[in-house]
Short mmCIF file of all heavy atoms in Angstrom, two decimals:
data_model
loop_
_atom_site.label_atom_id
_atom_site.label_comp_id
_atom_site.label_asym_id
_atom_site.label_seq_id
_atom_site.Cartn_x
_atom_site.Cartn_y
_atom_site.Cartn_z
N GLY A 40 -13.65 7.92 17.54
CA GLY A 40 -14.74 8.78 17.08
C GLY A 40 -14.25 10.13 16.58
O GLY A 40 -14.81 11.17 16.93
N SER A 42 -14.23 11.15 13.44
CA SER A 42 -14.74 11.45 12.09
C SER A 42 -15.69 12.65 12.05
O SER A 42 -16.04 13.11 10.96
CB SER A 42 -15.45 10.21 11.53
OG SER A 42 -16.37 9.70 12.47
N SER A 43 -16.12 13.14 13.20
CA SER A 43 -17.04 14.30 13.21
C SER A 43 -17.05 14.90 14.61
O SER A 43 -16.42 14.37 15.53
CB SER A 43 -18.46 13.86 12.83
OG SER A 43 -18.93 12.87 13.73
N GLY A 44 -17.78 16.00 14.72
CA GLY A 44 -18.10 16.57 16.03
C GLY A 44 -16.92 16.81 16.95
O GLY A 44 -15.87 17.31 16.55
N ILE A 45 -17.12 16.43 18.21
CA ILE A 45 -16.13 16.73 19.25
C ILE A 45 -14.80 16.03 18.96
O ILE A 45 -13.72 16.61 19.15
CB ILE A 45 -16.69 16.33 20.64
CG1 ILE A 45 -17.87 17.25 21.00
CG2 ILE A 45 -15.61 16.40 21.70
CD1 ILE A 45 -18.53 16.96 22.34
N HIS A 63 -9.62 7.27 14.87
CA HIS A 63 -10.57 6.16 14.65
C HIS A 63 -11.90 6.68 14.11
O HIS A 63 -12.35 7.78 14.44
CB HIS A 63 -10.82 5.43 15.99
CG HIS A 63 -12.13 4.71 16.00
ND1 HIS A 63 -13.29 5.27 16.50
CD2 HIS A 63 -12.49 3.48 15.54
CE1 HIS A 63 -14.29 4.42 16.36
NE2 HIS A 63 -13.84 3.32 15.79
N TYR A 64 -12.54 5.86 13.29
CA TYR A 64 -13.92 6.13 12.85
C TYR A 64 -14.64 4.80 12.71
O TYR A 64 -14.02 3.73 12.79
CB TYR A 64 -13.93 6.89 11.51
CG TYR A 64 -13.64 6.04 10.29
CD1 TYR A 64 -14.64 5.75 9.37
CD2 TYR A 64 -12.37 5.50 10.07
CE1 TYR A 64 -14.39 4.98 8.24
CE2 TYR A 64 -12.12 4.72 8.95
CZ TYR A 64 -13.12 4.46 8.04
OH TYR A 64 -12.88 3.69 6.95
N ASN A 65 -15.96 4.89 12.50
CA ASN A 65 -16.71 3.67 12.24
C ASN A 65 -17.31 3.70 10.84
O ASN A 65 -16.84 3.00 9.95
CB ASN A 65 -17.79 3.46 13.31
CG ASN A 65 -18.62 2.22 13.04
OD1 ASN A 65 -18.11 1.25 12.47
ND2 ASN A 65 -19.88 2.23 13.41
N ARG A 66 -18.32 4.58 10.62
CA ARG A 66 -18.99 4.55 9.31
C ARG A 66 -18.71 5.76 8.43
O ARG A 66 -18.88 5.72 7.24
CB ARG A 66 -20.52 4.43 9.52
CG ARG A 66 -20.92 3.07 10.04
CD ARG A 66 -22.42 2.95 10.15
NE ARG A 66 -22.96 4.01 11.00
CZ ARG A 66 -24.18 4.03 11.50
NH1 ARG A 66 -25.02 3.07 11.20
NH2 ARG A 66 -24.59 5.00 12.25
N ASN A 67 -18.30 6.86 9.03
CA ASN A 67 -18.22 8.12 8.30
C ASN A 67 -16.83 8.31 7.66
O ASN A 67 -15.97 9.03 8.17
CB ASN A 67 -18.53 9.27 9.28
CG ASN A 67 -18.60 10.61 8.59
OD1 ASN A 67 -18.32 10.73 7.40
ND2 ASN A 67 -18.98 11.62 9.36
N CYS A 90 -13.25 0.77 13.22
CA CYS A 90 -13.79 -0.34 14.02
C CYS A 90 -15.21 0.01 14.46
O CYS A 90 -15.49 1.16 14.79
CB CYS A 90 -12.91 -0.57 15.26
SG CYS A 90 -13.39 -2.02 16.22
N ASP A 91 -16.07 -1.00 14.43
CA ASP A 91 -17.42 -0.84 15.00
C ASP A 91 -17.38 -1.35 16.44
O ASP A 91 -17.19 -2.54 16.67
CB ASP A 91 -18.42 -1.66 14.17
CG ASP A 91 -19.84 -1.53 14.72
OD1 ASP A 91 -20.03 -0.90 15.79
OD2 ASP A 91 -20.77 -2.07 14.09
N PHE A 92 -17.57 -0.47 17.39
CA PHE A 92 -17.42 -0.84 18.80
C PHE A 92 -18.57 -1.71 19.31
O PHE A 92 -18.52 -2.19 20.45
CB PHE A 92 -17.26 0.41 19.67
CG PHE A 92 -15.93 1.11 19.49
CD1 PHE A 92 -15.69 2.33 20.11
CD2 PHE A 92 -14.92 0.57 18.71
CE1 PHE A 92 -14.48 3.00 19.96
CE2 PHE A 92 -13.70 1.22 18.54
CZ PHE A 92 -13.49 2.43 19.17
N ASN A 118 -13.57 8.83 23.05
CA ASN A 118 -14.57 9.86 22.71
C ASN A 118 -15.78 9.28 21.98
O ASN A 118 -16.89 9.79 22.13
CB ASN A 118 -13.91 10.93 21.85
CG ASN A 118 -14.94 11.80 21.15
OD1 ASN A 118 -15.63 12.61 21.78
ND2 ASN A 118 -15.11 11.60 19.83
N ALA A 119 -15.60 8.22 21.19
CA ALA A 119 -16.71 7.69 20.38
C ALA A 119 -17.91 7.39 21.28
O ALA A 119 -17.75 6.88 22.38
CB ALA A 119 -16.28 6.41 19.66
N GLY A 120 -19.08 7.72 20.77
CA GLY A 120 -20.27 7.45 21.57
C GLY A 120 -21.53 7.64 20.76
O GLY A 120 -21.53 8.31 19.72
N ILE A 121 -22.58 6.99 21.23
CA ILE A 121 -23.88 7.20 20.58
C ILE A 121 -24.82 7.84 21.60
O ILE A 121 -24.84 7.47 22.77
CB ILE A 121 -24.48 5.91 19.99
CG1 ILE A 121 -24.32 4.71 20.94
CG2 ILE A 121 -23.87 5.58 18.65
CD1 ILE A 121 -24.90 3.42 20.38
N VAL A 142 -21.10 0.53 23.21
CA VAL A 142 -20.24 1.55 22.57
C VAL A 142 -19.71 2.56 23.60
O VAL A 142 -18.54 2.94 23.55
CB VAL A 142 -21.03 2.28 21.45
CG1 VAL A 142 -20.18 3.40 20.83
CG2 VAL A 142 -21.47 1.29 20.38
N ASN A 170 -14.44 10.74 27.38
CA ASN A 170 -15.41 11.80 27.10
C ASN A 170 -16.79 11.37 27.59
O ASN A 170 -17.47 10.58 26.94
CB ASN A 170 -15.44 12.15 25.62
CG ASN A 170 -16.21 13.44 25.37
OD1 ASN A 170 -16.56 14.15 26.33
ND2 ASN A 170 -16.49 13.75 24.13
N SER A 171 -17.16 11.89 28.72
CA SER A 171 -18.44 11.54 29.34
C SER A 171 -19.50 12.56 28.91
O SER A 171 -19.61 12.90 27.73
CB SER A 171 -18.25 11.50 30.85
OG SER A 171 -19.43 11.14 31.49
N SER A 172 -20.22 13.10 29.84
CA SER A 172 -21.30 14.07 29.53
C SER A 172 -21.83 14.60 30.85
O SER A 172 -21.71 13.95 31.89
CB SER A 172 -22.43 13.36 28.79
OG SER A 172 -23.59 14.16 28.78
N TYR A 185 -28.40 6.35 27.73
CA TYR A 185 -27.26 7.28 27.60
C TYR A 185 -26.71 7.66 28.98
O TYR A 185 -25.50 7.61 29.22
CB TYR A 185 -27.72 8.51 26.83
CG TYR A 185 -26.61 9.48 26.51
CD1 TYR A 185 -25.60 9.12 25.60
CD2 TYR A 185 -26.55 10.74 27.08
CE1 TYR A 185 -24.57 10.01 25.29
CE2 TYR A 185 -25.54 11.64 26.77
CZ TYR A 185 -24.56 11.27 25.87
OH TYR A 185 -23.54 12.15 25.57
N LYS A 189 -23.00 6.96 30.68
CA LYS A 189 -22.07 8.03 31.09
C LYS A 189 -21.81 7.99 32.60
O LYS A 189 -20.70 8.28 33.06
CB LYS A 189 -22.61 9.39 30.65
CG LYS A 189 -22.71 9.55 29.12
CD LYS A 189 -21.37 9.37 28.41
CE LYS A 189 -21.44 9.72 26.94
NZ LYS A 189 -20.15 9.57 26.24
N PRO A 215 -18.78 17.29 28.91
CA PRO A 215 -19.24 18.45 28.14
C PRO A 215 -20.72 18.73 28.36
O PRO A 215 -21.51 17.81 28.59
CB PRO A 215 -19.01 18.05 26.68
CG PRO A 215 -18.17 16.81 26.70
CD PRO A 215 -18.44 16.16 28.02
N GLY A 216 -21.06 20.00 28.26
CA GLY A 216 -22.47 20.40 28.22
C GLY A 216 -22.95 20.31 26.79
O GLY A 216 -22.70 19.31 26.11
N VAL A 218 -22.88 21.01 23.01
CA VAL A 218 -21.90 21.38 21.99
C VAL A 218 -22.48 21.05 20.61
O VAL A 218 -22.58 19.87 20.26
CB VAL A 218 -20.58 20.60 22.19
CG1 VAL A 218 -19.55 21.01 21.15
CG2 VAL A 218 -20.04 20.79 23.60
N VAL A 220 -22.87 19.93 17.05
CA VAL A 220 -22.05 19.18 16.09
C VAL A 220 -22.95 18.90 14.88
O VAL A 220 -24.15 19.20 14.92
CB VAL A 220 -21.52 17.86 16.71
CG1 VAL A 220 -20.56 18.15 17.86
CG2 VAL A 220 -22.66 16.97 17.20
N ARG A 222 -24.39 16.34 13.89
CA ARG A 222 -25.53 15.52 14.29
C ARG A 222 -26.65 16.35 14.93
O ARG A 222 -27.83 16.05 14.76
CB ARG A 222 -25.02 14.47 15.30
CG ARG A 222 -26.03 13.56 15.91
CD ARG A 222 -25.33 12.55 16.82
NE ARG A 222 -24.48 13.16 17.83
CZ ARG A 222 -24.93 13.77 18.93
NH1 ARG A 222 -26.21 13.82 19.17
NH2 ARG A 222 -24.09 14.31 19.79
N1 LIG B 303 -22.23 17.14 21.29
C1 LIG B 303 -22.59 17.25 22.57
O1 LIG B 303 -23.35 18.15 22.97
C2 LIG B 303 -22.06 16.27 23.59
C3 LIG B 303 -22.24 16.57 24.93
C4 LIG B 303 -21.74 15.69 25.89
C5 LIG B 303 -21.04 14.57 25.52
N2 LIG B 303 -20.86 14.30 24.18
C6 LIG B 303 -20.10 13.09 23.84
O2 LIG B 303 -19.14 13.40 22.87
C7 LIG B 303 -18.80 12.23 22.14
C8 LIG B 303 -18.78 12.56 20.66
O3 LIG B 303 -20.10 12.90 20.26
P1 LIG B 303 -20.44 14.08 19.24
O4 LIG B 303 -21.46 14.93 19.89
O5 LIG B 303 -19.20 14.69 18.72
O6 LIG B 303 -21.23 13.27 18.11
P2 LIG B 303 -20.84 12.68 16.69
O7 LIG B 303 -20.35 13.75 15.79
O8 LIG B 303 -22.03 11.88 16.29
O9 LIG B 303 -19.61 11.71 16.99
C9 LIG B 303 -19.76 10.39 17.41
C10 LIG B 303 -18.52 9.59 17.04
O10 LIG B 303 -18.66 8.27 17.60
C11 LIG B 303 -18.45 7.31 16.58
N3 LIG B 303 -19.29 6.13 16.77
C12 LIG B 303 -20.66 6.08 16.80
N4 LIG B 303 -21.08 4.79 16.87
C13 LIG B 303 -19.96 4.03 16.87
C14 LIG B 303 -19.74 2.63 16.90
N5 LIG B 303 -20.75 1.73 16.89
N6 LIG B 303 -18.47 2.18 16.88
C15 LIG B 303 -17.43 3.06 16.86
N7 LIG B 303 -17.58 4.38 16.82
C16 LIG B 303 -18.83 4.88 16.81
C17 LIG B 303 -18.84 8.00 15.28
O11 LIG B 303 -18.19 7.36 14.18
P3 LIG B 303 -18.79 7.30 12.68
O12 LIG B 303 -19.66 8.52 12.51
O13 LIG B 303 -17.58 7.27 11.81
O14 LIG B 303 -19.61 6.04 12.58
C18 LIG B 303 -18.37 9.43 15.52
O15 LIG B 303 -17.01 9.57 15.17
C19 LIG B 303 -19.82 11.16 22.55
O16 LIG B 303 -19.25 10.27 23.48
C20 LIG B 303 -20.92 11.98 23.22
O17 LIG B 303 -21.63 11.22 24.18
C21 LIG B 303 -21.36 15.11 23.21
#
Side-chain angles (χ1 to χ4, degrees):
S42 49
S43 59
I45 293 179
H63 156 267
Y64 77 110
N65 178 31
R66 289 184 304 194
N67 186 354
C90 186
D91 180 355
F92 290 174
N118 164 71
I121 43 180
V142 176
N170 192 9
S171 181
S172 165
Y185 186 67
K189 296 301 188 179
V218 181
V220 295
R222 177 177 54 75

